[in-house]
Amino acid sequence: MSLIQFYRTVYPLIQILNDAHFSIYLNDNSNKSADSVLYFPFKVLIDSNRLFIRKNLSHEKTIKQGDEIISINNLPVKDIIAQIRSCNFKTPSEEDFFERWNENIFSKVLNRLFGFENKFSIQTTHASFKNVQGITSTELSASDTSSNVSYSFKTLNYKIGYFKI
């Protein structure tokens, strides 16, 4: 059994424990060179069983922020999210934590759980797109560092500070 096969077998078993402190991860170079894999080129927003474009990092500029993705590589989004979830949540806050956490790692999870890489077929509510080119891990990480900071923090003295949000 390869490392990726082991990961895909064990992942649902670990998820069913529903414990954020107990997880399984693969690092970027566990299977191939980090930049030889091209990842899903979108930052996403997960809302229950729905997936929306938060940021388009691809060269296909007709896919807009806010577009809902219906399927990726002919697999319905609700099935993708169900497999990533692999458990039932007891509270709305657990569901919210799952969604926020997996939004940040969605591109890599698509690769690790489903083997999706390089080119993607994407169905949105408005159109279908074939062969959308993926992006490297380096490009994916660079998009995280260039943020639009909408807060500041200032220390008034050694015990008091304030956030401006």
Side-chain angles (χ1 to χ4, degrees), residues 58-127:
S58 77
H59 298 292
E60 180 61 62
K61 297 305 177 193
T62 55
I63 301 174
K64 301 290 183 201
Q65 180 180 356
D67 284 353
E68 182 178 359
I69 301 172
I70 304 300
S71 69
I72 302 169
N73 294 354
N74 299 317
L75 189 59
V77 163
K78 65 179 182 140
D79 295 345
I80 292 170
I81 292 174
Q83 189 164 341
I84 294 170
R85 184 178 286 122
S86 293
C87 66
N88 293 318
F89 299 108
K90 297 177 186 99
T91 66
S93 63
E94 287 178 351
E95 176 81 12
D96 190 49
F97 176 79
F98 162 82
E99 291 171 353
R100 299 303 78 77
W101 178 262
N102 282 287
E103 287 170 355
N104 293 329
I105 61 173
F106 188 79
S107 294
K108 295 201 175 179
V109 170
L110 272 183
N111 173 259
R112 292 171 184 151
L113 280 183
F114 301 95
F116 293 173
E117 62 184 34
N118 302 329
K119 295 198 183 272
F120 300 87
S121 294
I122 301 163
Q123 170 83 36
T124 69
T125 52
H126 304 296

Side-chain angles (χ1 to χ4, degrees), residues 4 8 14 16 24-26 45 52 55 70 75 77 94 96 100 103 105 114 119 125 128 131 140-141 144 151 159 165:
I4 201 78
R8 289 176 184 162
I14 291 174
I16 201 74
I24 183 170
Y25 297 100
L26 292 176
L45 176 77
F52 299 90
K55 186 174 184 183
I70 304 300
L75 189 59
V77 163
E94 287 178 351
D96 190 49
R100 299 303 78 77
E103 287 170 355
I105 61 173
F114 301 95
K119 295 198 183 272
T125 52
S128 294
N131 297 320
L140 194 58
S141 298
D144 291 333
Y151 66 90
K159 287 186 177 181
I165 301 174

